[in-house]
Amino acid sequence: MSEKVECGLASEPSRPPATKARSRARALTEIRSLARSHTRTALKVLVGIMRSDDATPAVRLSAANAILDRGWGKSAQPIESGEEGTVETVHRVERIIVRPEEAVDGDAGPKA
């Protein structure tokens, strides 16, 4: 090799070795891509099962739900309280930070 080529190779920044996390993320991306490439076929299978007279009603319902979930997303699940038949709705979640210097006597312990 000529000196110019050797110098050029030596001056190139070295790449850090691939970490396990990076290779794992790459593998997940490849798996996700491969799975998505079969979407049309999988959907045809689900539709075939849903329309099949030979399939049990439970299997047909499961296929129909899978189709709806993929097309429209899963429906929101209500939060049930301990009481029978009542459903709680969370209206607002609030985070309050109390600083000891701003606290009223007894609220946040002794002041410094």
Side-chain angles (χ1 to χ4, degrees):
M1 268 191 209
S2 69
E3 288 182 30
K4 287 183 181 179
V5 173
E6 288 176 3
C7 290
L9 293 174
S11 66
E12 288 181 8
S14 61
R15 293 183 180 171
T19 61
K20 287 182 182 179
R22 191 177 308 157
S23 62
R24 199 173 307 140
R26 184 177 297 139
L28 287 174
T29 301
E30 290 172 4
I31 291 169
R32 196 172 288 133
S33 177
L34 181 61
R36 287 179 179 171
S37 71
H38 295 287
T39 300
R40 187 177 303 273
T41 304
L43 191 56
K44 285 180 181 180
V45 169
L46 286 170
V47 170
I49 292 169
M50 180 185 71
R51 291 181 174 172
S52 172
D53 292 333
D54 296 334
T56 64
V59 171
R60 293 176 65 196
L61 177 63
S62 179
N65 279 329
I67 293 167
L68 291 173
D69 288 348
R70 279 143 188 86
W72 299 98
K74 294 190 177 197
S75 60
Q77 300 295 316
I79 302 170
E80 293 187 22
S81 67
E83 299 174 22
E84 232 178 277
T86 60
V87 176
E88 283 184 41
T89 304
V90 177
H91 294 285
R92 182 172 164 180
V93 176
E94 202 172 312
R95 182 177 181 185
I96 301 173
I97 299 173
V98 178
R99 295 188 178 98
E101 62 272 5
E102 296 174 1
V104 180
D105 290 337
D107 284 348
K111 290 185 180 182

